[in-house]
Amino acid sequence: MNQFNSSAVLNSLSNSSKSKRTLFCLTYDLPPLTTPIANRAQKLLAQFQHSWQLQVLTGTKNAALNPEANINYAETWYPKTLIELLGKLRLDKFLSWLIWPEPHIFWVLPAIIKGYQLIQKQRPDAIFVLMMPYSAGLVGIVLKWLTGLPLILSLDDSPTCTDMHPNAMSWLHHHLDNWLEEFYVRQSNATVYVSQFNLDAVKNRLAPPHKSKLHLIRCGADPQDFTPPISTPVNDSNLEIVYTGGMNGWYQFYHQNQEKSFLKKLYQAWMELGYYQRATIDYRSSSPVFAGKAIQQVLTQHPEWQDKIHLAVYGNSFPESVVQRVLENQTLTDVVSVSGSLPHFQAIQLARQADLLFITLPNRPDGSSGGRISCKTYEYLMTDRPILAAVPQGENWDYLQDKPGVWLVEPTDIEAMSQVIATVATAKFSGNSLRFDRSHLHEELSYINLVKNYLQIFDEVCSKTIIPK
């Protein structure tokens, strides 16, 4: 099958019915937002449209999709002024205890009202909810109760995923998160996970009748994003290492040790008071610091490569002043550059022309296994470029272990990173840049393949559901 011919594949799936059924979709993030969930929602919904009519409810103002999609906006009732005032009064701790499961809880009521009105006007055949935020799942459940429509939930990250949520605000919040996740599955007709590790974790907590509702559909990539010619010329005189996406380990390097005053330490202890720790996470490796140190080590060993190896980070969401201070504190300004958010398509083109692609995730010093695969993993594998994956043991490591052109290292192992960089640089500067054929993975990674699995779930759920008139 030609995995790039999306229309042919998906239209063949819809030919079994004379007219398209209607899917009511709840997704808070959509373009023009540049978040990973907004991009994923756009890709999935665009493919769903080949087989279903879409009625979309979002929390994104001026959301953009295919013109055929009926997009509706529900504005959150988030009390921004009050929350900002309480934040200025240093009451963030109390806010984090009270606002659960996340600030998007203020979207639930307006979304329920708007969603019910829309469903009454044009009754769909099923409800599909793409999370995060987790509060969107509550909207879907209430709408199912009110309308009797079947409900399919898709979790991008589990509420109890220890990679994303290593700490709960308290013992009570930890058990509330467990309850919420199980509640989602019990109330849904089907629940989709992107992680086998997280799926198995919740499956072990469920009663037997609900285990069959769980499905694994990983994230993926759109082959169409990788077909246009690359317009930006590649600088063959330098080795360009590229990382696309956000990093959240900046503040671990923001203060020098001598700057950490007693009051700052006391405030940090207060903010962490009562935490329920699910896993020990070292966020320092979610930064360019260790890779930057590895580059410097390579340059020390190979002075002839001075100024020729560089790490470029694209997609930063942290304040520029914080990033710049960290790079200066760690003396990395000569080998690392950091740019802000950019359109997803542009990020992919930068990845396609890199000499080496870089993935790094927070380390897990307690030795526990990670249950998350970084979304950039799938997109990197669509290229032919070498990949340096600094990830802890767990699902991301296991998934990449047998993939061609991938070097796996521990997230803080500077020596191992420097050896990989030196290997790639030696090949590049000798005129034999490393390239790897991963075309056999493209069909597996393609959104076309993922959507086929979603459509099968939609069909199964609808066929088993008697919808009240």
Side-chain angles (χ1 to χ4, degrees):
M1 181 182 71
N2 181 0
Q3 66 267 28
F4 297 98
N5 191 350
S6 60
S7 298
V9 173
L10 293 172
N11 281 333
S12 68
L13 290 172
S14 60
N15 283 340
S16 57
S17 59
K18 294 182 179 179
S19 61
K20 291 183 180 179
R21 291 169 292 178
T22 301
L23 186 67
F24 186 82
C25 302
L26 281 159
T27 175
Y28 190 89
D29 282 11
L30 280 175
L33 297 181
T34 57
T35 61
I37 190 69
N39 174 69
R40 178 166 160 76
Q42 180 191 35
K43 298 295 185 183
L44 289 176
L45 298 187
Q47 298 295 345
F48 289 168
Q49 283 187 282
H50 291 283
S51 302
W52 290 72
Q53 290 182 347
L54 299 188
Q55 197 174 13
V56 182
L57 181 60
T58 181
T60 303
K61 202 168 187 177
N62 300 318
L65 270 180
N66 186 298
E68 294 180 10
N70 179 11
I71 303 177
N72 302 272
Y73 169 65
E75 186 173 4
T76 180
W77 290 353
Y78 180 75
K80 182 179 178 181
T81 303
L82 176 60
I83 298 297
E84 288 179 348
L85 175 61
L86 294 174
K88 290 177 181 178
L89 296 174
R90 298 291 186 180
L91 297 175
D92 311 67
K93 180 72 173 179
F94 298 103
L95 291 174
S96 60
W97 278 338
L98 296 173
I99 300 176
W100 176 86
E102 81 256 304
H104 294 92
I105 191 68
F106 295 102
W107 187 64
V108 169
L109 190 54
I112 290 172
I113 295 171
K114 184 72 172 180
Y116 185 71
Q117 292 171 344
L118 292 170
I119 290 173
Q120 292 303 104
K121 286 181 180 178
Q122 182 185 355
R123 192 168 181 83
D125 296 275
I127 300 170
F128 173 73
V129 182
L130 187 62
M131 295 183 276
M132 302 184 303
Y134 301 118
S135 300
L138 298 175
V139 179
I141 289 170
V142 174
L143 290 177
K144 177 188 176 181
W145 290 346
L146 294 174
T147 65
L149 294 170
L151 172 66
I152 302 96
L153 301 177
S154 184
L155 281 157
D156 251 40
D157 288 302
S158 159
T160 56
C161 172
T162 56
D163 292 279
M164 296 297 294
H165 313 291
N167 299 307
M169 289 308 302
S170 68
W171 175 90
L172 174 62
H173 287 84
H174 167 69
H175 287 280
L176 283 172
D177 291 342
N178 280 341
W179 172 85
L180 180 65
E181 186 167 23
E182 295 162 25
F183 178 69
Y184 283 153
V185 180
R186 289 196 303 269
Q187 296 300 318
S188 72
N189 297 80
T191 300
V192 176
Y193 277 79
V194 298
S195 161
Q196 184 70 59
F197 184 95
N198 291 332
L199 185 153
D200 290 340
V202 70
K203 190 174 185 178
N204 291 334
R205 305 197 307 263
L206 289 170
H210 299 292
K211 294 180 186 288
S212 62
K213 296 179 181 179
L214 299 177
H215 303 267
L216 176 69
I217 303 178
R218 298 194 186 279
C219 297
D222 185 350
Q224 298 294 335
D225 289 339
F226 295 83
T227 55
I230 301 172
S231 57
T232 306
V234 177
N235 186 347
D236 283 332
S237 64
N238 294 331
L239 181 81
E240 188 80 359
I241 305 171
V242 169
Y243 176 97
T244 60
M247 293 177 164
N248 54 15
W250 296 104
Y251 281 111
Q252 274 64 31
F253 296 100
Y254 184 73
H255 292 290
Q256 303 278 22
N257 288 331
Q258 63 271 21
E259 296 177 332
K260 296 178 180 178
S261 67
F262 173 75
L263 288 178
K264 288 178 180 176
K265 291 178 181 178
L266 185 63
Y267 180 72
Q268 184 66 27
W270 157 245
M271 291 302 294
E272 295 176 359
L273 180 66
Y275 273 11
Y276 183 93
Q277 189 175 67
R278 297 176 177 134
T280 302
I281 299 293
D282 181 3
Y283 284 105
R284 295 179 308 148
S285 57
S286 181
S287 75
V289 170
F290 295 100
K293 298 290 185 185
I295 293 172
Q296 291 177 331
Q297 183 169 310
V298 171
L299 295 177
T300 299
Q301 297 166 349
H302 298 273
E304 70 276 15
W305 295 345
Q306 197 66 39
D307 299 325
K308 290 189 174 183
I309 303 179
H310 182 260
L311 169 61
V313 177
Y314 299 98
N316 170 64
S317 59
F318 278 70
E320 185 178 347
S321 58
V322 173
V323 171
Q324 191 60 32
R325 178 166 181 173
V326 169
L327 296 181
E328 291 172 356
N329 283 348
Q330 301 298 316
T331 62
L332 295 174
T333 54
D334 58 331
V335 293
V336 177
S337 66
V338 180
S339 304
S341 298
L342 69 167
H344 182 258
F345 179 80
Q346 186 179 344
I348 286 178
Q349 305 320 306
L350 291 167
R352 292 176 64 202
Q353 65 184 17
D355 296 300
L356 175 63
L357 292 168
F358 181 52
I359 304 172
T360 185
L361 293 176
N363 201 12
R364 301 175 73 96
D366 61 1
S368 60
S369 294
R372 174 191 174 214
I373 298 180
S374 171
C375 288
K376 65 179 62 65
T377 298
Y378 307 102
E379 293 171 346
Y380 284 5
L381 288 173
M382 290 291 289
T383 74
D384 62 355
R385 305 304 160 120
I387 299 169
L388 170 56
V391 298
Q393 295 285 337
E395 193 160 1
N396 212 144
W397 180 289
D398 295 342
Y399 183 78
L400 285 171
Q401 203 155 28
D402 62 346
K403 302 298 188 292
V406 177
W407 283 266
L408 286 160
V409 303
E410 293 294 327
T412 59
D413 192 338
I414 294 173
E415 179 62 33
M417 290 186 205
S418 67
Q419 292 176 10
V420 175
I421 294 169
T423 298
V424 176
T426 299
K428 168 70 184 283
F429 296 140
S430 65
N432 298 299
S433 295
L434 297 178
R435 299 291 181 264
F436 299 90
D437 181 10
R438 304 191 187 101
S439 57
H440 63 287
L441 298 174
H442 291 179
E443 183 175 346
E444 171 193 332
L445 298 169
S446 170
Y447 271 110
I448 301 163
N449 188 53
L450 305 181
V451 166
K452 286 168 59 180
N453 295 330
Y454 273 108
L455 295 179
Q456 288 174 0
I457 294 171
F458 296 165
D459 288 340
E460 289 173 9
V461 166
C462 289
S463 67
K464 296 176 182 177
T465 305
I466 300 175
I467 302 175
K469 300 295 183 182

